[in-house]
Amino acid sequence: MRARYQVVFFLILIVSFGCVLAEAQYVADTKFERELLWVINDMRAKAGLPPLIPDPRLQQAALKHLAEFATEGGEFSDQYHGEPSLLDRIAAAKLPCTSAGEVLLKPPDTMTDEPHRIAEALQTKQSQAVILNPRYSTVGLAVAHSDFYIYAVGNLTNSSRAMPIDWAEKLAATGLKQRLKAKNLPPFQVTFKKKLRQLACEAARNDSLEAGINTTTAEESFVYTTADPDHADLLDAIASRQSRSAIQNREIYLGACFAASKSFPEGRYWFVVWLVNPHG
């Protein structure tokens, strides 16, 4: 096993996948996939790390190694005979990165019915060293299982699609400004609040849109989520709760958090919005 790669053995799963490998039928389990991704990102959240973001290009690299893994009968290796190296596989998928790690596992197929055992299986120092590596931010997950075993591969890199939280907040505010101007509505004063960032993260931890509600400072408050702040429509989010006339001359307190939840194990931007009347 090459020293430049961190390779450990634990269970990891991907998006829907079905294929024939080594003359046997291998199928995916979408529900178990989400459970696995949730467990892994929950471990990172408890360690103060952002969630790993699935990337389809990295997934393709993992799928290629999965085919070799299953064909070789589950013999653990980061590079089989005649196969490109991990970094070469990732480069072929056109995903730039400067470091990468890989994880493999071949557990009994019965584990698909017991996803809670994943958390226990990932408590080893080796697996945590990879999963909790702060350099890694993107993941490509691949799994196939037969009647007896699960063959699983996970590729982790430091190439991330997630943007800094302050960027996400500014994008949401800029989009709101542009929409107000296009509709000839007066501009809002947007103030970014660290307290609301904390409430947004709390909403993600609770997997709830009810967190962040304030009845003293804010006249109206709500939580909303989006996968892409650049295309999120904050005005529509506000207008869905109030009439157009009622949202004029308002000040907005805004805070965001990127985090995984049970409903969104791949990670989402969570926004807490407080609408404040500056004139009391």
Side-chain angles (χ1 to χ4, degrees):
M1 189 175 299
R2 300 188 175 186
R4 61 170 172 161
Y5 304 142
Q6 292 175 302
V7 183
V8 296
F9 311 128
F10 74 105
L11 183 55
I12 198 164
L13 200 61
I14 65 160
V15 296
S16 298
F17 170 67
C19 66
V20 177
L21 297 173
E23 300 183 354
Q25 185 67 37
Y26 294 81
V27 296
D29 186 328
T30 303
K31 180 178 181 296
F32 191 52
E33 164 199 329
R34 292 178 64 84
E35 290 284 352
L36 288 170
L37 185 57
W38 161 246
V39 168
I40 292 168
N41 278 335
D42 185 53
M43 289 176 58
R44 290 178 61 87
K46 291 177 179 177
L49 297 172
L52 296 172
I53 304 174
D55 189 291
R57 296 166 295 177
L58 199 54
Q59 172 193 324
Q60 290 303 311
L63 282 169
K64 290 181 178 179
H65 194 58
L66 176 66
E68 297 291 339
F69 183 30
T71 301
E72 294 292 333
E75 178 183 350
F76 294 106
S77 176
D78 66 317
Q79 184 177 10
Y80 296 100
H81 180 71
E83 182 188 29
S85 67
L86 172 59
L87 290 180
D88 287 340
R89 295 195 298 270
I90 293 175
K94 302 186 183 303
L95 182 66
C97 71
T98 57
S99 63
E102 185 169 82
V103 293
L104 305 173
L105 186 71
K106 179 191 169 185
D109 185 66
T110 53
M111 189 173 284
T112 59
D113 298 322
E114 301 178 278
H116 63 277
R117 292 173 55 190
I118 298 303
E120 298 176 1
L122 299 181
Q123 294 304 313
T124 66
K125 291 182 179 180
Q126 285 182 313
S127 61
Q128 290 193 3
V130 176
I131 297 171
L132 303 182
N133 189 324
R135 294 179 302 169
Y136 299 152
S137 50
T138 306
V139 64
L141 312 175
V143 69
H145 63 84
S146 65
D147 292 335
F148 304 103
Y149 295 103
I150 298 172
Y151 296 91
V153 175
N155 290 165
L156 289 72
T157 75
N158 64 341
S159 178
S160 176
R161 294 180 296 158
M163 66 185 72
I165 290 303
D166 57 340
W167 291 11
E169 292 171 343
K170 290 176 182 177
L171 279 175
T174 299
L176 174 63
K177 180 179 179 180
Q178 293 172 344
R179 287 294 309 279
L180 288 169
K181 183 177 180 180
K183 293 181 176 296
N184 295 316
L185 292 172
F188 286 11
Q189 178 181 339
V190 180
T191 303
F192 305 120
K193 296 286 188 178
K194 290 185 177 180
K195 177 181 179 181
L196 269 61
R197 288 185 179 181
Q198 297 172 354
L199 291 175
C201 289
E202 179 181 337
R205 285 193 297 270
N206 294 330
D207 198 22
S208 170
L209 299 180
E210 299 300 322
I213 303 301
N214 183 289
T215 57
T216 56
T217 304
E219 294 186 5
E220 294 283 345
S221 62
F222 62 90
V223 181
Y224 80 102
T225 69
T226 179
D228 185 1
D230 196 20
H231 295 91
D233 196 329
L234 183 56
L235 180 59
D236 280 355
I238 296 172
S240 67
R241 294 162 177 82
Q242 299 183 344
S243 66
R244 296 283 182 178
S245 60
I247 63 175
Q248 295 185 23
N249 303 317
R250 292 296 185 106
E251 180 178 357
I252 291 181
Y253 293 171
L254 182 69
C257 176
F258 184 83
S261 71
K262 195 73 172 180
S263 298
F264 305 105
E266 72 281 4
R268 298 269 290 195
Y269 292 93
W270 295 70
F271 286 85
V272 170
V273 182
W274 287 0
L275 304 178
V276 181
N277 189 336
H279 304 295

